[in-house]
Amino acid sequence: MLPSVGFEVEDLILEDWGWSVRLRHDPFPLWIGCGSYPEYEDGFLCFIEPSKPYVRKWLKRIPTQQAVERLGDAVERILRGSKGVRGLRWWTEAEVQQR
């Protein structure tokens, strides 16, 4: 589904916390992480990296916000269009920091 919205999946990597979906994105590494959310029987936590507004590459400061927002919008559209997905919400930065 991600390729249909303009994101080419480069690799799926099984991590100790869940799955990492690596995307082809030349300016900087861009990926989605998804793992179980034990507070809910059928819950999942997904996140997009990079989570910072800028990354550094070859001493350059590269803005990430536009690509991350575009990916977040695509992920949300895909999930909202999937049967069985409910209670979808994005955590605030403050909620992320509290974890």
Side-chain angles (χ1 to χ4, degrees):
M1 289 192 171
L2 285 169
S4 70
V5 291
F7 291 96
E8 182 182 345
V9 176
E10 191 170 81
D11 203 4
L12 294 172
I13 301 171
L14 179 60
E15 302 280 1
D16 59 350
W17 47 262
W19 287 92
S20 171
V21 181
R22 306 291 170 147
L23 304 171
R24 183 169 309 282
H25 188 260
D26 292 335
F28 54 86
L30 182 64
W31 56 280
I32 303 166
C34 190
S36 66
Y37 187 20
E39 293 178 28
Y40 296 92
E41 182 179 334
D42 58 352
F44 291 90
L45 285 174
C46 298
F47 57 93
I48 298 172
E49 286 293 332
S51 59
K52 298 189 187 303
Y54 292 93
V55 295
R56 295 214 178 262
K57 184 175 180 181
W58 297 101
L59 302 177
K60 288 185 177 180
R61 190 172 149 168
I62 302 169
T64 63
Q65 185 174 353
Q66 185 176 20
V68 169
E69 285 180 0
R70 192 168 72 84
L71 178 57
D73 290 344
V75 168
E76 184 165 340
R77 279 193 315 273
I78 290 167
L79 291 174
R80 289 201 186 279
S82 300
K83 290 184 179 182
V85 174
R86 63 186 189 290
L88 176 65
R89 78 173 188 89
W90 294 97
W91 282 8
T92 65
E93 187 62 33
E95 289 174 308
V96 170
Q97 297 302 320
Q98 290 175 355
R99 301 303 270 171

